[in-house]
Amino acid sequence: MRVLTAGESHGLGNIAIVEGFPQGVKIDEKIINQELTKRMSGVGRGKRMSIEQDGVKIISGLRNKKTLGSPIAMVIKNKDSYILSQAKDSYDPITIPRPAHADLSGAFKYQEKDMRNILERASARSTVSQVCIGSICKQLLANFKISIASFTVSVGNISSTLKPKSAREIISKTKKSQLNCIDKAAEKRMTSKIKKCAAEGDTLGGVVEIWIDGLPPGIGSCMHFDKRLDAKLTYYLMSIQAVKGIEVGLGFEYSQRPGSLAHDSIYHSGKEGFFRKSNNSGGIEGGMSTGNPIVLRLAKKPIATLLNPLDSVDLISKRKSKAPKIRSDTCAIVALSVIAENMAALAISESFLDKFGSDSLPEITRNYNNYLNNCKKL
Ligand code: EPS
C-alpha cells in the first residue's frame, strides 16, 4: 500500500491518495466523517475548529460503497482558505519564528524569511488526510475483528490511573467524554487545568494510550528491521506533530525491572492454546504481534503557539522580539488520540497485508482463516 497526502493549512483543502488498498472492502464515508468530527473536538481547541466542518468526499476507488482495487482519492475542503496558488494574498509575512514550531528550522532549510510558507504545511491541519487514510484502514481491519481505541491518560501533570482491559471498554467509556477519558474525576481536573491555562495564554500537552485488539500473533517480522511491527508503528506515530515520546507496553519502566519481573511467562491450556497472564510487552515480541492487545503510549508536547509568547528573534532585523500571537489551540489531546489511532491503523494494515496478501478481501480472508487454523495446530 502506498499513501500520499497534500494540502496547506489555509489552502483550498487537503487530499489523501491510497494505492494498493484491497478490492472488495466496504467503505462508509459516514464513519470517516465521525472520525473527522471527533478530531476537531475536545476542551481547549481554538477558533479554527469552530470555522471548519470537516467532511470527506471520496472521488475515486469505490463503486457502490465497495473498493475496486484502484487508487482511492479523498478530498477534505478547508473553509478557512486564503492561500492562493495563482495570485498574491494580502497577508503580511511572518518573520519571527515561534519556539517549538517548524518555523526556524524550516526557514534555514528553505532559506525563507516569510515563515508562512513553512507553517502552512507544517500545521497539524494536514492530519485530516491521515485520519481519512487510517479510517479506511480501520474499516478493512474491522472485517477481521481488529479494533483500535485510545484514551487520554494525562493533560499536563493531571493524570488518570485507571487501566482499561480492552479496546471495547475504552470505546464505551470514552463515548460521552469531552476529553476522551475513561476516568470522569480526572477529566474534571484536566478540564479545569486547560481552562486555567487558556486564561493564562499558555498551552498544554499530554499522554494518550492506544489499544489494538484482535490482531493474531505473528504480524510484523523479526527478519528485517523495517518490517518490525513496533518499528513501523512508532515511525508512523512519531510523524504526528508534537509527539515527542512513545512507549510500547512497559516502555521505560522495562529498564528498571529485572527480567524475572519484566517478561510475560508463557502458558498453555487445551481451551485457550498458548496464553500469557500479563502483557508487559504491549503485545509485541521480536517485532511481531503476540496475539495480546497492542498497547502504546504517546507523549505530546504543549502546542508551540502561545498567546503569552516566548522570546524569539526577528529574522529580518535580528532584534530580540516576542514570538507572534497567532490564533491557535490551548490543548489538542483529543485530536492526537484520533490521529494516532488512525496512523496505527495504517501501520497495522500494512503489516497485516504483508502477511495475508493485498489484492482482494475474499483472498485475504481465506489466507487469514487458513493461518488461524494453522496457529491452532501449533
Ligand atoms: C495549527 C494552528 C491552528 C490549529 C491547527 C494547527 O490553526 P490556525 O492557524 O488556522 O488557527 O487549529 O490545526 C488545525 C487547523 C486542525 O485542523 O487541526 C498549527 O500551527 O499547527
Side-chain angles (χ1 to χ4, degrees), residues 257-330:
R257 296 194 189 187
S260 55
L261 297 177
H263 303 311
D264 306 311
S265 297
I266 300 170
Y267 303 91
H268 186 272
S269 79
K271 198 170 153 221
E272 283 186 74
F274 292 97
F275 68 94
R276 318 291 179 106
K277 293 179 184 172
S278 56
N279 187 27
N280 292 338
S281 72
I284 302 176
E285 286 176 339
M288 293 167 289
S289 54
T290 61
N292 287 104
I294 307 241
V295 182
L296 307 156
R297 228 162 291 114
L298 272 68
K300 180 186 194 299
K301 71 181 180 183
I303 303 249
T305 313
L306 308 188
L307 284 181
N308 190 6
L310 293 171
D311 288 343
S312 185
V313 174
D314 190 305
L315 293 196
I316 295 178
S317 69
K318 304 291 186 298
R319 281 205 200 101
K320 182 178 170 183
S321 315
K322 286 289 177 192
K325 293 185 193 183
I326 301 176
R327 179 187 69 187
S328 189
D329 307 291
T330 305

Side-chain angles (χ1 to χ4, degrees), residues 30-293:
K30 267 194 241 137
I31 296 176
I32 308 176
N33 286 336
Q34 282 162 7
E35 299 259 10
L36 288 173
T37 302
K38 186 168 177 187
R39 195 202 68 93
M40 294 173 53
S41 72
V43 184
R45 293 310 309 260
K47 180 138 186 291
R48 177 75 187 272
M49 291 302 99
S50 58
I51 299 171
E52 299 300 337
Q53 283 176 334
D54 292 339
V56 72
K57 193 93 228 120
I58 303 180
I59 60 166
S60 77
L62 256 68
R63 184 171 182 226
N64 299 331
K65 289 196 173 175
K66 274 200 171 170
T67 55
L68 297 167
S70 56
I72 301 170
M74 297 177 274
V75 180
I76 314 98
K77 285 191 179 158
N78 288 333
K79 280 196 178 293
D80 195 14
S81 159
Y82 52 76
I83 295 292
L84 310 172
S85 68
Q86 299 294 306
K88 195 170 165 7
D89 62 51
S90 56
Y91 284 81
D92 290 337
I94 294 176
T95 61
I96 308 170
R98 291 160 295 170
H101 214 288
D103 301 351
L104 185 58
S105 306
F108 277 118
K109 180 174 174 63
Y110 294 107
Q111 299 289 296
E112 177 64 80
K113 289 198 175 165
D114 178 2
M115 284 164 294
R116 195 177 289 283
N117 289 342
I118 312 296
L119 66 88
E120 278 297 330
R121 182 64 182 157
S123 164
R125 180 77 193 142
S126 62
T127 59
V128 290
S129 302
Q130 283 148 274
V131 169
C132 293
I133 293 168
S135 180
I136 64 170
C137 290
K138 271 191 183 178
Q139 294 184 54
L140 161 69
L141 296 172
N143 289 284
F144 305 95
K145 298 197 168 48
I146 297 164
S147 57
I148 304 181
S150 66
F151 64 98
T152 302
V153 175
S154 66
V155 167
N157 59 1
I158 310 286
S159 297
S160 161
T161 50
L162 295 188
K163 302 260 177 246
K165 291 202 171 59
S166 65
R168 184 197 288 200
E169 181 189 339
I170 297 168
I171 291 165
S172 96
K173 289 200 170 150
T174 53
K175 217 163 229 163
K176 289 194 181 141
S177 166
Q178 296 293 304
L179 274 176
N180 208 41
C181 272
I182 58 170
D183 179 341
K184 283 190 182 144
E187 181 177 350
K188 258 191 174 170
R189 285 183 285 125
M190 289 172 189
T191 302
S192 318
K193 177 104 187 169
I194 295 169
K195 288 187 174 161
K196 184 166 175 282
C197 197
E200 289 164 354
D202 214 336
T203 58
L204 285 167
V207 172
V208 153
E209 187 165 303
I210 308 175
W211 279 59
I212 302 157
D213 277 6
L215 197 62
I219 306 303
S221 178
C222 57
M223 298 301 179
H224 201 260
F225 63 86
D226 60 350
K227 293 205 161 139
R228 297 180 78 92
L229 189 61
D230 37 8
K232 202 180 246 298
L233 278 161
T234 52
Y235 171 49
Y236 285 140
L237 292 170
M238 194 53 111
S239 77
I240 303 168
Q241 285 87 342
V243 172
K244 281 294 194 184
I246 303 180
E247 291 186 303
V248 181
L250 268 192
F252 275 60
E253 206 188 314
Y254 256 134
S255 64
Q256 290 164 17
R257 296 194 189 187
S260 55
L261 297 177
H263 303 311
D264 306 311
S265 297
I266 300 170
Y267 303 91
H268 186 272
S269 79
K271 198 170 153 221
E272 283 186 74
F274 292 97
F275 68 94
R276 318 291 179 106
K277 293 179 184 172
S278 56
N279 187 27
N280 292 338
S281 72
I284 302 176
E285 286 176 339
M288 293 167 289
S289 54
T290 61
N292 287 104

